[in-house]
Amino acid sequence: MKRVAVLGATGSIGRQALEVIEQHDDLELVAASSGSQPLDGMAPLTQVGGDPVDLLEQAEPDVVLNAVVGFAGVQATLWTLERGVDLALANKESLVAAGDLALAVWQQGGGRLLPVDSEHSALFQCLERRPPETVDSVVLTASGGPFRGRNRSELEDVTPDDALAHPTWSMGPKITVDSATLANKGLEVIEAHFLFGLPYERIDVVIQPTSVVHALVRYRDGAALAHVGYPDMRVPISFALTYPERAQVDLPRLDFSSGLVLEFEPVDHDAFPMLGLARRSGEQGGSYPCVFNAANEVAVAAFLEGRLPFLGIPEVVERTLEAAEGAPAADLDGLIAVDAEARRLAEQALVAA
Ligand SMILES: NC(=O)c1ccc[n+]([C@@H]2O[C@H](COP(=O)([O-])OP(=O)(O)OC[C@H]3O[C@@H](n4cnc5c(N)ncnc54)[C@H](OP(=O)(O)O)[C@@H]3O)[C@@H](O)[C@H]2O)c1
């Protein structure tokens, strides 16, 4: 029996995780948390809002599914990695923001870090834990979001409702907007760098509009392995929670007789500058990825509230990155201070945008 704690249990990933747990006899839900929604006896231990560390200490889970959205998930990621408890990580923002700190405590703790992001779950499976030197490069696929094919001027007047209409995935609002700007793919490039120890120049991105190919690994011998499947987050959630068992999941199998479309397109960096900004912040290192993440969270919230146009999102992020110092944070308190300062700078940039 694996004892599972689900953080962010009321969200899109959290709810799908509860379904997966329900279907596996050897998974036991021991704790659940949310930001503000009630949990009504969902698990033996529950917590609404606040720092999840006390909940986790009491629950003593074998695996923590971190499905909180945004920087708010950082304490749980660091706690889990430090204790050597297995971490099923959906909350990519915590690994992006805490990067080097997270790697250091992961190494100390010695537990498993199992990605739930579908692209990274795909890479984890295709990589089979082979050393980075056997890998030529990895390729993350992106659907391109609802605005794929539009040029910059065609993005001037898009609304939050337009941005929330994702063509292939049904997700929470923040990641859906991130998919529309391609910031999500930028966060994923940084996430892949930290998860798999690869330099940024060996992490590529390509548009694959039907979201059937989740990622590819190009090996040094010329072979390329792809991970394919219909877009359904219950697959990578189940993979992470039942690892290494690869348990039965009752979902439709890939059907080659029903017109599978596997086209690939390059990214339009002029219309979607967030991917390049994220990559640059990753290459700069230090706390720049944390700043990128914080500025993006502020800008996305302002866009959803109607305070910022869609094209203002990269503007705010770029200005914040220019104004920030980017020195590495020594510990969690330092990181929280970097995040807070970046949010302050982003709020200033909002006024100017
Ligand atoms: N959705 C997907 O298909 C998908 C795919 C890949 C990766 N991810 C990643 O998974 C994470 C969750 O995404 P989602 O789409 O499930 O988001 P979501 O639907 O917005 O759910 C977010 C969850 O986080 C909780 N939460 C929000 N603020 C919190 C805070 N300050 N403290 C504690 N809990 C808080 C929410 O609680 P309340 O309900 O009470 O607000 C909710 O349970 C994100 O990092 C996202 O990038 C999602």
Side-chain angles (χ1 to χ4, degrees):
M1 202 59 142
K2 255 192 209 176
R3 297 164 58 81
V4 187
V6 177
L7 308 179
T10 49
S12 163
I13 291 288
R15 281 181 277 112
Q16 293 179 83
L18 299 183
E19 241 182 81
V20 167
I21 293 167
E22 183 75 33
Q23 281 163 15
H24 289 306
D25 290 342
D26 44 3
L27 297 178
E28 181 190 6
L29 180 67
V30 293
S33 81
S34 71
S36 57
Q37 292 194 65
L39 293 164
D40 294 334
M42 184 188 278
L45 294 167
T46 57
Q47 181 175 308
V48 178
D51 185 342
V53 161
D54 286 346
L55 179 78
L56 293 172
E57 298 273 2
Q58 276 187 61
E60 298 182 356
D62 299 312
V63 54
V64 173
L65 173 69
N66 188 352
V68 171
V69 62
F71 186 80
V74 79
Q75 281 96 337
T77 286
L78 292 176
W79 182 92
T80 308
L81 292 174
E82 199 170 0
R83 297 296 183 291
V85 173
D86 286 356
L87 175 62
L89 184 67
N91 175 249
K92 64 192 89 184
E93 296 93 337
S94 58
L95 191 57
V96 167
D100 297 320
L101 285 179
L103 290 194
V105 292
W106 181 22
Q107 210 165 21
Q108 262 172 38
R112 291 179 180 130
L113 207 182
L114 299 157
V116 169
D117 233 344
S118 58
E119 297 79 357
H120 302 74
S121 176
L123 288 179
F124 181 88
Q125 292 171 56
C126 292
L127 282 165
E128 297 178 305
R129 296 173 175 265
R130 290 182 197 281
E133 63 271 19
T134 63
V135 175
D136 171 80
S137 52
V138 298
V139 186
L140 298 169
T141 54
S143 71
F147 306 138
R148 180 176 62 86
R150 297 200 196 187
N151 62 33
R152 230 183 124 68
S153 64
E154 290 167 329
L155 293 173
E156 264 164 24
D157 299 321
V158 298
T159 66
D161 280 349
D162 299 331
L164 290 173
H166 197 279
T168 53
W169 293 100
S170 166
M171 310 179 285
K174 191 261 177 183
I175 182 174
T176 306
V177 175
D178 285 349
S179 299
T181 60
L182 290 199
N184 183 49
K185 218 43 58 179
L187 293 169
E188 289 179 5
V189 166
I190 302 171
E191 183 185 8
H193 165 79
F194 286 118
L195 276 174
F196 304 118
L198 290 167
Y200 285 97
E201 66 271 16
R202 285 160 61 196
I203 306 172
D204 293 342
V205 173
V206 70
I207 304 291
Q208 201 281 301
T210 54
S211 302
V212 168
V213 182
H214 301 129
L216 303 96
V217 177
R218 298 188 192 106
Y219 280 101
R220 64 181 173 187
D221 61 2
L225 302 193
H227 182 289
V228 297
Y230 295 124
D232 191 314
M233 288 307 294
R234 287 169 293 181
V235 177
I237 292 169
S238 175
F239 180 84
L241 292 183
T242 68
Y243 185 82
E245 186 194 338
R246 203 186 266 284
Q248 172 78 21
V249 180
D250 294 324
L251 291 172
R253 306 307 180 209
L254 204 59
D255 179 0
F256 295 97
S257 64
S258 66
L260 272 185
V261 181
L262 301 180
E263 289 169 341
F264 297 89
E265 297 169 10
V267 172
D268 176 351
H269 288 281
D270 180 52
F272 302 100
M274 288 295 275
L275 175 57
L277 288 170
R279 188 183 280 281
R280 207 186 320 149
S281 75
E283 285 164 351
Q284 283 176 302
S287 61
Y288 281 110
C290 178
V291 172
F292 172 87
N293 178 67
N296 181 53
E297 287 190 31
V298 169
V300 169
F303 169 67
L304 287 171
E305 287 159 14
R307 294 191 287 135
L308 184 71
F310 186 75
L311 291 178
I313 298 174
E315 241 181 82
V316 165
V317 171
E318 188 165 16
R319 283 195 195 152
T320 307
L321 284 167
E322 276 165 11
E325 284 178 10
D331 52 22
L332 177 59
D333 286 345
L335 193 70
I336 290 172
V338 168
D339 174 76
E341 172 62 5
R343 282 166 200 271
R344 192 188 65 76
L345 293 169
E347 289 291 346
Q348 272 179 4
L350 265 181
V351 177

